[in-house]
Amino acid sequence: MSPGAPAGASASRGHVAAASPAVAIAVDVVLPCLNEEGALPWVLSRLPPGYRAIVVDNGSTDATAAVASAAGALVVSEPRRGFGSAAHAGLLASTAPVVAFCDADASMDPAELPTLVALLDDGSAGLVLGRRRPTVRGAWPWHARVANRVLARLIRHRTGLALHDLGPLRAARREQLLAFELRDRRSGYPLEMLLRAWEAGLVVREVPTPYTPRIGRSKVTGTFRGTVTAIRDMSRLLREAPRVTVS
């Protein structure tokens, strides 16, 4: 498991400590949320100093927004449903030089983000993805894992990028992300970001990151229907992408 992240109810994952206002914001962390009140306390408590949470409430019917606000996060409301809608609303609200994206379901640890950001800071990458490494059996549903493997193979054939995972934990420079003018507002948003980075000639790198069972019900790849929708959205983007010859 991720350090300090025992399995079980959200209460066992710690309390939220608001970031000190004396710490300059170096990284904005976009957290798309749909009914994540149970997971948010642990997720927000794991943010390193200088990392600000931007919680994008994508139409929650629970106390997601209230929990985030009480923890000192910047809360953005995005009523238009879709992962891309929420993620892009967070990007537009960001002001830090680096923007990271992380699922808000406690399956990935925001404390891992400095490892990704370090590759941006030293100039060795322009987009860094967290490659999911399940810590326990069942953390990553079989249908989502198979779909991810097929997608990674298709990405390699189209772009030559030898990726293993289109991971939800990622980081890049804000100005570069805005320049991409990303348009997908559904499940294809992460892939569109990757394709625009590749087209711009940015170095894309992966960093192994722990992946644990999520808290609460999954809305996308944790369900078979969500996985099919994601594959459909991403397949469309790949068909539109230019092809390179891989030796």
Side-chain angles (χ1 to χ4, degrees):
M1 298 287 287
S2 302
S10 60
S12 68
R13 296 204 179 193
H15 65 281
V16 178
S20 169
V23 179
I25 298 172
V27 179
D28 276 327
V29 183
V30 176
L31 297 160
C33 289
L34 177 58
N35 297 330
E36 300 290 5
E37 66 174 1
L40 268 178
W42 181 80
V43 172
L44 296 177
S45 74
R46 299 293 293 170
L47 288 173
Y51 285 56
R52 176 179 66 165
I54 300 180
V55 172
V56 184
D57 184 2
N58 199 206
S60 298
T61 57
D62 66 1
T64 288
V67 169
S69 180
L74 172 62
V75 180
V76 175
S77 176
E78 176 49 80
R80 293 169 296 181
R81 287 290 181 90
F83 177 83
S85 293
H88 201 69
L91 172 61
L92 294 179
S94 67
T95 57
V98 172
V99 178
F101 297 82
C102 182
D103 282 352
D105 57 12
S107 61
M108 307 200 79
D109 189 350
E112 299 285 333
L113 282 170
T115 303
L116 279 67
V117 173
L119 298 180
L120 300 175
D121 290 340
D122 68 16
S124 61
L127 174 64
V128 187
L129 311 179
R131 181 182 178 185
R132 287 170 284 189
R133 295 292 199 182
T135 58
V136 296
R137 189 179 185 86
W140 197 352
W142 68 267
H143 51 83
R145 190 182 302 204
V146 170
N148 186 74
R149 188 176 303 149
V150 172
L151 179 62
R153 187 177 301 119
L154 292 174
I155 290 172
R156 179 177 178 83
H157 288 165
R158 281 286 181 179
T159 68
L161 294 171
L163 297 179
H164 302 85
D165 181 19
L166 191 64
L169 192 71
R170 52 184 55 208
R173 300 207 169 275
R174 175 177 175 272
E175 292 303 320
Q176 186 71 70
L177 290 171
L178 291 173
F180 291 160
E181 298 184 347
L182 301 171
R183 304 202 178 279
D184 192 284
R185 294 296 180 263
R186 301 199 336 160
S187 304
Y189 190 85
L191 176 58
E192 185 184 12
M193 184 187 298
L194 171 66
L195 293 174
R196 297 294 89 82
W198 168 67
E199 291 170 359
L202 299 185
V203 174
V204 180
R205 293 187 56 185
E206 292 182 320
V207 173
T209 50
Y211 192 58
T212 65
R214 62 161 289 134
I215 290 177
R217 184 178 64 86
S218 178
K219 291 85 177 175
V220 186
T221 55
T223 66
F224 187 79
R225 180 179 179 181
T227 297
V228 171
T229 299
I231 291 173
R232 185 165 56 241
D233 290 346
M234 294 182 186
S235 295
R236 172 181 51 81
L237 288 167
L238 282 171
R239 285 195 300 270
E240 297 170 354
R243 186 188 296 273
V244 298
T245 301
V246 181
S247 57

